[in-house]
Amino acid sequence: MAETINKNTSSQQAVLQYKMTVLNSITKLDNYEDEDIFDIVIKLEASFGLKFEKDAFYNVKTFGNLCDVITNKVEGANSNDCTTQQAFYKVRNAIAATQLINKNAINTDTELKDIFPRDNRRQKIKQLQAELGLPLNILHIKSWLGWTIFIGIVASLITFFIKWQLAISGLLFFISVGWTANKFFAKELDTKTVRLLTEKLVREDYVAVRRTKGTINRQEILKIIIDTFSNDLDIDKAYLTRNDKFSWAT
């Protein structure tokens, strides 16, 4: 009997330890420094066509505070039409026009790799971008090359403690290789479907994808803020509540 109790106790302790490990590994707002947070704010500024004063976020301590500052700043005539739907039609029409595809054959689950074959992908994406009149930024270099460049930059930084001339040469080399690779050779899609591309455009270019300029759907603003933080910082939306605090408030 005692042996059974001991086994049950050990099992419960193991489960509790596992739950604590998972909880500690969850990414939350307070895991990020203020620079990371305000990089997202800058993206939201561009998406909503805003410009904040330097002291606009002076009293911001929680995610709710930040959302209030942004939503109160967004201007435009309110219209209850769906921006995501409008963005999908815009993307679908642009794909049909540039790739000579029947637009009825394009749906939200259509995979971009099937529309843009790898051989001429860069050229085709440029055509789509020109038709949309929006930056897409959906191509990247192969993972192994990206890691090689990253490791090279880190190694160059470490070399500063040994020989600074060699470190600077290494930094310049790997930075130039990274810039050249991303500028001229990036062919890997980091956005898989038309739906994901549509959602990306709504997050990053909300004002631009609206069908009627000067309008907003005020009910969508908070969702876009949450989606942007969740997507860019890899935070579960359950940890983006009004009461969640930033690192500088903890």
Side-chain angles (χ1 to χ4, degrees), residues 135-150:
L136 293 181
N137 300 319
I138 59 174
L139 295 178
H140 61 84
I141 58 178
K142 286 183 174 294
S143 297
W144 67 264
L145 179 55
W147 278 109
T148 300
I149 294 169
F150 174 76

Side-chain angles (χ1 to χ4, degrees), residues 11-29:
S11 177
Q12 290 172 354
Q13 289 176 341
V15 170
L16 180 60
Q17 183 64 38
Y18 172 76
K19 288 182 177 179
M20 290 298 294
T21 301
V22 171
L23 183 61
N24 290 334
S25 67
I26 292 174
T27 304
K28 299 180 182 178
L29 275 177

Side-chain angles (χ1 to χ4, degrees), residues 88-210:
F88 167 69
Y89 291 147
K90 189 180 184 74
V91 169
R92 185 183 66 173
N93 292 339
I95 291 174
T98 58
Q99 312 309 314
L100 304 179
I101 300 173
N102 185 339
K103 68 178 183 180
N104 295 322
I106 304 169
N107 58 55
T108 55
D109 294 324
T110 299
E111 296 199 8
L112 297 181
K113 66 180 179 63
D114 295 332
I115 301 174
F116 304 102
R118 196 174 185 282
D119 289 343
N120 59 355
R121 184 172 290 162
R122 288 179 57 80
Q123 178 185 354
K124 296 295 186 181
I125 293 296
K126 285 181 180 179
Q127 292 173 353
L128 177 62
Q129 182 172 273
E131 181 71 17
L132 287 169
L134 299 170
L136 293 181
N137 300 319
I138 59 174
L139 295 178
H140 61 84
I141 58 178
K142 286 183 174 294
S143 297
W144 67 264
L145 179 55
W147 278 109
T148 300
I149 294 169
F150 174 76
I151 292 171
I153 290 174
V154 171
S156 298
L157 290 172
I158 294 173
T159 308
F160 265 111
F161 296 99
I162 304 171
K163 190 173 183 179
W164 66 268
Q165 297 94 332
L166 183 61
I168 291 176
S169 298
L171 281 174
L172 291 175
F173 172 77
F174 284 107
I175 289 173
S176 63
V177 168
W179 182 87
T180 302
N182 280 287
K183 183 72 174 178
F184 300 104
F185 301 106
K187 288 187 176 182
E188 310 305 314
L189 285 162
D190 63 8
T191 304
K192 293 184 177 181
T193 65
V194 170
R195 176 179 63 83
L196 292 176
L197 175 57
T198 298
E199 292 173 352
K200 174 183 170 67
L201 289 177
V202 172
R203 287 195 308 270
E204 298 180 359
D205 293 282
Y206 181 84
V207 171
V209 298
R210 290 285 298 173

Side-chain angles (χ1 to χ4, degrees), residues 2 80 85:
N80 291 326
Q85 184 181 57

Side-chain angles (χ1 to χ4, degrees), residues 15-46:
V15 170
L16 180 60
Q17 183 64 38
Y18 172 76
K19 288 182 177 179
M20 290 298 294
T21 301
V22 171
L23 183 61
N24 290 334
S25 67
I26 292 174
T27 304
K28 299 180 182 178
L29 275 177
D30 58 11
N31 295 137
Y32 291 93
E33 299 299 324
D34 53 353
E35 293 88 351
D36 302 310
I37 301 302
F38 285 100
D39 282 345
I40 307 301
V41 170
I42 290 171
K43 292 184 70 172
L44 290 168
E45 271 189 316

